């Protein structure tokens, strides 16, 4: 019979690729004969991220197993090109045949000065990684499916590639193995301007339109009118 509790208090973990430090980090696990309950709480920036899961021993091999992610103003990245806070409400489902991620990701604050779509694009499901030190056959990866609604809040600012302004709106991003990520929704540019031929022009209407095609190739609707005062 399994019965007991383990707890980590005041832990710390650095994540160099994202430029953030999780501190304090708290992990608690409680187990009995039927299941084990896991709770993890991590702070980054001014916010936190919370993960909760219950592992049923009777379904240890068959699954599925779930993790609920929630949080508020969690500092997800602090890099030269992007400073990002997120408020997630996501459900992760791990099964023998596939893994699913679904829910809502709110971005209350962000400052973006460069965008690398290549790093943001999911790798192809048929990619093969060759490890010279271990060439033995391994099990194929579990397919990943995602359906996430992204809500862009009131404090998201972009200043990259000649475009400057605030971004707002909502879109849904979906992915499945062997296909590019697709998006549905609209992102609007507020109080924006852009540089063209050395001139900075005000954006009267700016929208990124996602209509079910690849997420990295949205439609662009842009209007800038230059008004001249009448001379008498």
């Amino acid at each position: 019979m399994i019965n007991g509790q383990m707890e980590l208090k005041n832990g710390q973990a650095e994540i160099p690729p994202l430029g953030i430090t999780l501190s304090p980090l708290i992990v608690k696990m409680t187990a009995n004969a039927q299941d084990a309950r896991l709770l993890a709480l991590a702070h980054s920036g001014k916010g936190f991220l919370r993960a909760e899961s219950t592992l049923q021993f009777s379904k240890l091999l068959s699954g599925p197993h779930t993790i609920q992610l929630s949080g508020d103003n969690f500092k997800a990245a602090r890099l030269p090109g992007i400073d990002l806070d997120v408020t997630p409400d996501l459900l992760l489902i791990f099964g023998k045949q596939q893994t699913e991620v679904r829910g809502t990701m709110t971005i209350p604050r962000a400052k973006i000065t460069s965008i690398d779509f290549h790093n943001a694009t999911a790798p192809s499901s048929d990619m093969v990684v060759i490890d010279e030190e271990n060439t033995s056959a391994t099990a194929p990866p579990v397919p990943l499916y995602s359906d996430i609604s992204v809500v862009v809040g009131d404090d998201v600012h972009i200043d990259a590639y000649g475009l400057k302004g605030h971004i707002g709106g909502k879109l849904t991003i979906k992915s499945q193995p062997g296909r590019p990520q697709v998006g549905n929704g609209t992102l609007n540019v507020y109080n924006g301007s852009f540089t063209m031929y050395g001139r900075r022009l005000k954006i009267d209407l700016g929208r990124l339109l996602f209509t079910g095609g690849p997420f990295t190739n949205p439609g662009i609707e842009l209007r800038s009118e230059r008004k001249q005062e009448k001379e008498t």
Side-chain angles (χ1 to χ4, degrees):
M1 178 180 293
I2 300 176
N3 195 353
Q5 177 177 305
M6 293 189 299
E7 187 171 4
L8 169 67
K9 294 183 177 180
N10 298 319
Q12 180 173 306
E14 295 184 358
I15 308 179
L18 298 178
I20 62 174
T21 299
L22 307 182
S23 179
L25 175 63
I26 301 171
V27 180
K28 182 178 181 180
M29 185 175 71
T30 304
N32 55 38
Q34 288 76 37
D35 56 42
R37 298 183 180 183
L38 176 67
L39 169 64
L41 184 64
H43 291 79
S44 177
K46 298 181 179 180
F48 69 91
L49 181 68
R50 180 186 183 98
E52 296 180 83
S53 180
T54 298
L55 179 65
Q56 297 180 353
F57 296 135
S58 61
K59 298 181 179 180
L60 188 62
L61 298 179
S62 62
H65 306 294
T66 63
I67 298 177
Q68 182 71 50
L69 287 180
S70 59
D72 184 56
N73 290 301
F74 177 78
K75 179 70 66 180
R78 185 185 284 117
L79 301 170
I82 183 170
D83 192 304
L84 174 67
D85 294 350
V86 300
T87 297
D89 184 9
L90 300 173
L91 179 65
L92 286 67
I93 305 173
F94 300 91
K96 293 184 66 176
Q97 303 299 324
Q98 66 185 48
T99 298
E100 298 179 47
V101 182
R102 58 176 183 247
T104 302
M105 178 70 74
T106 301
I107 304 175
R109 195 199 70 83
K111 184 177 181 181
I112 304 167
T113 55
S114 67
I115 304 173
D116 189 347
F117 283 123
H118 295 288
N119 288 336
T121 304
S124 172
S125 62
D126 57 2
M127 180 189 301
V128 177
V129 178
I130 299 176
D131 187 346
E132 294 181 355
E133 297 181 358
N134 183 13
T135 58
S136 59
T138 58
V142 178
L144 172 63
Y145 295 81
S146 66
D147 186 348
I148 302 173
S149 294
V150 179
V151 180
V152 182
D154 298 329
D155 192 14
V156 176
H157 182 76
I158 185 171
D159 187 358
Y161 307 111
L163 174 63
K164 181 184 293 186
H166 287 84
I167 306 295
K170 180 179 179 180
L171 68 142
T172 299
I173 302 175
K174 297 183 179 182
S175 68
Q176 55 182 306
R179 297 185 180 182
Q181 292 175 322
V182 298
N184 279 282
T186 303
L187 295 180
N188 300 292
V189 180
Y190 302 102
N191 301 319
S193 63
F194 68 99
T195 301
M196 178 176 289
Y197 304 116
R199 288 185 174 184
R200 180 155 290 279
L201 303 175
K202 179 183 177 181
I203 297 175
D204 297 302
L205 173 65
R207 297 195 298 178
L208 298 178
L209 307 173
F210 301 85
T211 58
F215 168 67
T216 56
N217 187 31
I220 299 176
E221 184 178 359
L222 187 65
R223 186 175 72 219
S224 177
E225 297 180 358
R226 185 179 180 186
K227 299 179 180 180
Q228 297 181 344
E229 295 183 0
K230 294 183 179 180
E231 296 182 359
T232 59

